[in-house]
Amino acid sequence: MRNVKKQSNFLPESISVMLRSLLTRIFGIFLCFISLWFIFGLFFYDPYLTGFEAVGSFGNQGIVGYIVGFVKYMVGFIPTLFLLLCMGRFGLSLFVKWEEERAPEYNFLRGFIALCVGSAGLGLINTNGTFGGMAGAIVAADFGPVLGLLSLPMGILLFVSFLLLSGILLHIK
């Protein structure tokens, strides 16, 4: 058997690499744009008023409002902002070709852990509100009575841990 390299019969290797790089950069810009759009929608999301990304009696809510509202009510405002910033930073790293962070499954796992810690911390800090979203409310309902008076210090510890983890993931020094 001969040792034959598998090459594309359609395009030369240099053009194929260039197109792959161009598509990666376009996808990175797309992720940055979507992230900024969702962040803008997150700050102006109000389900009780009419206006940008809001539900009201004059029409239906936009798709961005549905997505942002769902994520906001699941994990809370601050963890949702962190999630959208991580998405935007990943898009920026694809666009600029930062090669130091090419392990997305590892970063997504760390991001998921940070998101859960942030929701739990905010849920334990304010057990009557929904700052931690539904996940924080579940943590507050399950662990609040068990922890008793220690729920506030534990919530602060978890929220500080969330801030440290999110700073590491967003490369804030």
Side-chain angles (χ1 to χ4, degrees), residues 121-132 136 140 152:
L122 287 169
L124 286 174
I125 288 173
N126 187 3
T127 57
N128 294 331
T130 56
F131 291 123
L152 180 65

Side-chain angles (χ1 to χ4, degrees), residues 27-29 31-32 86-96:
F27 182 67
I29 285 291
L31 276 179
C32 285
C86 278
M87 188 173 81
R89 188 181 190 291
F90 183 68
L92 186 66
S93 74
L94 287 177
F95 177 70
V96 180

Side-chain angles (χ1 to χ4, degrees), residues 39-107:
I39 289 171
F40 189 72
L42 178 68
F43 277 108
F44 292 104
Y45 178 78
D46 188 0
Y48 301 110
L49 300 175
T50 58
F52 179 76
E53 297 308 332
V55 66
S57 58
F58 295 111
N60 291 331
Q61 190 170 350
I63 186 73
V64 172
Y66 284 124
I67 293 170
V68 165
F70 176 75
V71 176
K72 178 183 173 185
Y73 289 123
M74 286 295 121
V75 294
F77 180 83
I78 295 174
T80 301
L81 183 62
F82 160 72
L83 180 69
L84 295 174
L85 286 173
C86 278
M87 188 173 81
R89 188 181 190 291
F90 183 68
L92 186 66
S93 74
L94 287 177
F95 177 70
V96 180
K97 289 190 170 190
W98 289 332
E99 295 296 331
E100 75 265 6
E101 57 175 57
R102 285 293 177 239
E105 63 280 351
Y106 178 62
N107 286 335

Side-chain angles (χ1 to χ4, degrees), residues 140-156:
D142 289 346
F143 293 109
V146 173
L147 292 172
L149 292 175
L150 293 176
S151 64
L152 180 65
M154 183 61 75
I156 291 171

Side-chain angles (χ1 to χ4, degrees), residues 104-139:
E105 63 280 351
Y106 178 62
N107 286 335
F108 291 145
L109 179 64
R110 291 190 312 174
F112 177 74
I113 291 170
L115 202 67
C116 292
V117 167
S119 293
L122 287 169
L124 286 174
I125 288 173
N126 187 3
T127 57
N128 294 331
T130 56
F131 291 123
M134 187 186 294
I138 291 170
V139 168

Side-chain angles (χ1 to χ4, degrees), residues 10 35 64 123:
F10 187 66
S35 172
V64 172

